[in-house]
Amino acid sequence: MPKPFDKLTATAAPIMRGNIDTDVIIRIERLVGNGIRGTLGKWAFGSLRYLPDGSENPEFILNREPYREAEILVTGPNFGCGSSREGAVWSLQERGIRAIIGSGFGDIFFANCFQNGILPVLVDKAVVDQLAADIEATQGAGKVSIDLEAQTIVSPSGARHAFEIDPRRREGLLKGLDEVALTLQRDNEIHAFQASDRTARPWIHSTRISA
Amino acid sequence: MPGRSLLQKIWDQHVIARLSEDTDLLHIDRHLLHDLGGSRGLLDLKSRGLKVHNPELTFATPDHALSTAPGRAGTSKIGMELLAALRVETAASGITLFDVDQPGQGIVHVIGPELGLSLPGATIVCGDSHTCTHGGLGALAFGIGSSELTHVLATQALIQKRPKTMRARFEGKLPLGVTAKDMILALIGHVGAAGGTGYAVEYAGSAISALPIEGRLTICNLSIELGAKMGMVAPDEKTFEFLRGRPYAPQGEMWDLAVKAWRELPSDPDAVFDREVVIDVEKIIPQVTWGISPEHVVGVDGIIPDPKAVDDPARRAAIETALEYMGLQGGAPIAGTPVDWVFIGSCTNSRLSDLRAAAEVARGRKVAAGVRAWVVPGSENVKREAVAEGLDKIFIDAGFEWREPGCSMCLAANGEVVAPGQRSVSTSNRNFVGRQGPRARTHLASPASAAASAIAGAIADVRMMGR
Ligand code: SF4
C-alpha cells in the first residue's frame, strides 16, 4: 500500500539528459530474485553513479553535496522510458526520492510511480529548464516545494508553477489508497461482466485444451 | 458520430466500470507470467491473503533468467530459485505453466501467439513492456508493472486511462532486403523514442497488410521503443489463417463465432485518430542503430551523425554522450564498423521466419574470425521446427552457436552478456546503456543484417551479399 503524499520541501537534483531509460535507473541483475526490496537504493543509477572500478563517480550529481540528500529529481524528456520494471521506482524510492518533476515520462514508469506513493509531475520543458537553472544558481542549496493539494511547485527563486494531474491519481496519492482493495469492492461487477461476456465471447473464457 | 477505431472497439468491449471521464476498469482476458516477476506477484498476493481471481486466464513460462546453454548449464542459483518458485506457486494456484523443455516454453511474447493464447480483440497483459507484441494479432496488449500485476492476479481487471490514438500507415512495396524490423526502426527514427508516449498506435497501410503475421508481431514489439505501450494491427484473413488450429485457439463452432466477431474489429473507414503518420516504405533501406536509444538509427549505407554539425546544444550533447559510450566517430560511415558479437534472438526476432531469413544469409558461409555469433530460438516449438528444417545445421556449419530458447543476451539477466567495451549487432529491441551487459555496445538490426554482419565481421549491408 503506497504511503500518502501531500507536501514536500526538499533538495532537488536536476538530471537533464533525455531518454534516461529504466535500465539506466536500475540494472536488471539487481532485480533478479524475490527478496530484492530494500537492497536497491545503492544501485539506483548504478552505471552513472559508479566508475568501472566500483568507486563513486564524483561527477555524478547524486554523489555531490548537497544533492546527495535530494528527495526530488528534475528530469529531462522521456525519463523512465523502456522496460516496465517497477524496480526502477523502488530503487529511486529506496534512494530517498519522493517526487520527480519532468517534461516527459515513459508511460509504464509514470504509472508505477503512483503505485508506490511517488509523485511524478509533468510540466512544460520551460518550467523544467527554469527549475534546473534556479537550483543550479543556488548550487543546490535552494529547496523546491511541491504541494499536491494545491497543485503547485515553488522554485528556489520563489517562482510558482501550477501543474495538472489526473484527479483520480491525485486522490490516490493524497490518501495513500490501495487500488487492489478498492477494485475488490467491485467484485460483483467483475463477476457480472464475466457472466455476460461468457455468452458474448465464450472463446475467451474456455481455455482448457479439450484435445 | 465518427467511426470507431480498433482500439476503441476493443476497449469498449472490456469496460467493467467507468471510473472517471477518461479512466475505466477493464477486464483482462489473458495474463502472462514469466520467471522474473511471476512468482513474486503470486507470493505478494498470498501475503495479502488473496487468491488468483481467474487462474484459467493466466499462463506462465520461464524465459528471462534461464541460461540458454545446452542443458541449461550455467543457470544461476537465483535463476533456479525463481524457476522453482514459479513451479510451486503456479501449481498452487492452478495456473498452466509451460516448463523447460516442454513444447510451449519460450519467450512469453513468442509463445502467446504461437499457442493461440493471444487472440484478436483480447486484452492481454504481462509484467513486461514488450507485451505490445501481441497487438500484431489485433489484440489490445500492454506491459504492466509489479503492482498492476498483483492487481490483475487479484481481480482479473485493471484500471486504465484511455490513451490517445495514433495511426502509422506504411505505404508501398517493401524493397528487397528490407524487413519488418527495418520498417519499425525507420518509424522510430522518424517520430523519436518519445513520439508515441501516451498513444496506442495502430499500424496500417498496404505494407502492413502485405506483411505476414510474424512481421506484424515484430512491428508491434517495438511500439514501446517509440514510447507507445500499446501497438496493434487490425486482424484480417492472414491473422485467422495464422491462428486456425493452434492449441489454445477456439475450435469448431466456437472458431466460426470468434472469426465472425473478429471481422467487426478493424477501424471504421471514418475513424479519427489523434495523430497520423505516413511512411513510404519504398524509401526504407536496412536500418542499424548507432547510439544508445532506438531513435539513434540510420540506414546501413548512412553516416554516423557528427555532433559538430548540430546546432542545438541539447541534441549535440546527446549525440556526444552516445558516441562516447559507443566508441564511434561522428561523420564516419556506420557500415564497416568491426563487431565482436552477433546475437540473433529475442521477442523481436526469434521466430521461424526470422531464423529462416538469417539462415538464408548464413548458408554456405562462415562467421568471420574473432566474432562470436549466437542464434537463440524464441521458443521450444520454434527450435523444434527450425531443427526439422535443418536451420540449426546451416547455422552450426557457418560457425554460429545454436542455443536453447529464452531471452538470453537481450537483457543480460541470465549470465549471458557482451563483455565491457565489446560491440554487438543484435536483433533485439534495446540498445540502452548496459542493456547487453555493463558497458556493452549494441547495434540493433534485422536478422538478415545481423547474419550479414557476422559473416563480414563488421556492420554490413545485407543487400551487398548477393542473395
Ligand atoms: S527477449 Fe528481451 S525484450 Fe523480449 S521479453 Fe525477453 S528480455 Fe524482454
Side-chain angles (χ1 to χ4, degrees), chain B residues 63-64 107-109 128 130 346-347 407 410-411 429 435:
Chain B
D63 53 4
H64 284 67
I107 305 173
V108 65
H109 311 309
D128 187 283
H130 291 102
S346 89
C347 57
C407 295
C410 170
L411 90 165
N429 40 47
R435 173 77 178 186

Side-chain angles (χ1 to χ4, degrees), chain A residues 163-183:
Chain A
F163 65 86
E164 296 292 319
I165 182 168
D166 179 296
R168 285 194 72 263
R169 298 288 205 193
R170 175 166 165 273
E171 194 200 341
L173 272 186
L174 285 169
K175 298 188 177 155
L177 296 178
D178 177 359
E179 282 195 343
V180 173
L182 285 179
T183 300

Side-chain angles (χ1 to χ4, degrees), chain A residues 19 21 23 27-28 31 33-34 36 78 82-84 86 107 112 183 187 193-194 201 204 206-208, chain B residues 13-14 27 29-30 39-40 53-54 56 96 145-147 151 197-198 248 254 295 411 430 432 434-435:
Chain A
N19 294 330
D21 55 73
D23 277 76
R27 289 192 51 77
I28 192 72
L31 302 179
N34 285 338
I36 54 169
N78 207 21
S83 156
S84 61
E86 199 160 317
D107 285 341
N112 287 342
T183 300
D187 202 32
F193 176 93
Q194 291 186 330
R201 302 184 308 147
I204 291 296
S206 63
T207 55
R208 295 294 180 223
Chain B
Q13 251 176 21
H14 288 84
H27 186 261
D29 298 339
R30 299 284 181 268
S39 61
R40 184 193 292 149
H53 201 280
N54 289 93
E56 80 284 6
T96 301
S146 307
S147 300
H151 190 282
T197 304
Y248 286 87
M254 197 105 92
E295 71 181 22
L411 90 165
R430 287 186 174 141
F432 295 165
R435 173 77 178 186

